Structures are given as C-alpha cells and as structure tokens.
Amino acid sequence: MSTNSTREWVDPIVCPFCGDELQSPGAGFVDHIDENEPCEHRFDQWRTNIAGDIGGEWTG
Ligand SMILES: [Zn+2]
C-alpha cells in the first residue's frame, strides 16, 4: 500500500484481527467490525474471553 519507511508495531489505527487500516482509531474500528463480519465475530469472541474466561484458550 504505502511506503514502509517507518515499520512500527504500535499502530492503533489498524484492525488487530485482519490488519486492515482504519479510518480513525476509535470510531473507525467500530465501523470496521460493523462492515466486516469475520472481524466482528472475532471481536465478539475476544470480548467474551476477556469477560468470562481470562487466560483461556485462543482459538483462531
Ligand atoms: Zn478487521
């Protein structure tokens, strides 16, 4: 896509599930998972894991 002059892992403006670039850090992610069912599903599973089973298995 763009020139990889700065390759930093800490980039809050990308989807942690598919790596897509988001339009904005906060609302952009909500829009993203709203438009991408796989990501929304993973996000839902992630939230469930955090809330219910901390330290549980990560089934990708
Ligand atoms: Zn995504």
Side-chain angles (χ1 to χ4, degrees), residues 25-55:
F29 180 66
V30 178
D31 285 343
H32 175 77
I33 63 174
D34 200 48
E35 295 170 359
N36 295 272
E37 263 189 60
C39 295
E40 186 180 26
H41 190 66
R42 288 192 184 187
F43 181 63
D44 207 47
Q45 284 190 322
W46 177 77
R47 289 181 68 182
T48 305
N49 279 342
I50 297 296
D53 193 359
I54 299 177

Side-chain angles (χ1 to χ4, degrees), residues 15 17-20 32 36 39:
C15 174
F17 302 115
C18 71
D20 262 12
H32 175 77
N36 295 272
C39 295

